[in-house]
Amino acid sequence: MTSTKLAVEAWEALFRTQASLVRRFAEQDVWAPERGVGLREYDVLYTLTTVDGGRARLGALADAVLLPQPSLSRLVDRLVAQGLLEREPDPADRRGVVLVLTGAGRAAQREVGRRHAAAIAEALGEHLDDDDLLALRDLCRKVLCARLP
């Protein structure tokens, strides 16, 4: 059985590391403010590149990007206004709407993504070698695959 103290220590280390890295990344000059793409906008664009056809319903997107639906709705409105996303009727449910990544949205994601990936590699590479990164990736995936409630 897992020690409660050790589990809490592991959680705190993971949580504080993630928060520290997010702050670091948010402050970096990798985003495209001229395109209206900051950290949260990038997260939405990136997430849509990982789903089939760059299409998702708002609820599914909200679960994936970990934003409350009202906040995500406002962010999506801005991305639609900028031409980075489009809304289309959901072919599976005509009452619903699907968000679709546009060509401009894909281009913005790729542009920012290259710079962000380099920043991630630099930040993690300062402290972890490839074996460490593989272990970290696999441990995080193991917890995610457990589908915690």
Side-chain angles (χ1 to χ4, degrees), residues 123-137:
L124 295 180
E126 291 173 3
H127 309 286
L128 305 174
D129 63 21
D130 285 353
D131 289 337
D132 294 331
L133 291 171
L134 284 168
L136 177 61
R137 181 200 65 193

Side-chain angles (χ1 to χ4, degrees), residues 1 35 45 53 58 75 82-84 91 112-113 129 133 136 139 143:
M1 178 164 228
R35 287 188 159 183
L45 298 176
L58 186 65
L75 190 146
Q82 294 167 306
L84 302 177
V112 173
D129 63 21
L133 291 171
L136 177 61
L139 289 169
V143 173

Side-chain angles (χ1 to χ4, degrees), residues 88-142:
E88 294 181 358
D90 185 346
D93 177 2
R94 292 281 176 187
R95 297 169 295 164
V97 173
V98 174
L99 300 169
V100 181
L101 192 60
T102 65
R106 282 187 192 282
Q109 186 280 321
R110 279 192 305 270
E111 172 190 329
V112 173
R114 281 192 294 277
R115 295 191 302 255
H116 184 44
I120 291 168
E122 179 184 334
L124 295 180
E126 291 173 3
H127 309 286
L128 305 174
D129 63 21
D130 285 353
D131 289 337
D132 294 331
L133 291 171
L134 284 168
L136 177 61
R137 181 200 65 193
D138 292 347
L139 289 169
C140 290
R141 285 180 176 173
K142 185 176 182 178

Side-chain angles (χ1 to χ4, degrees), residues 25 62-63 80 93 96 125 135 148:
F25 296 144
D63 290 343
V80 168
D93 177 2
L148 298 173

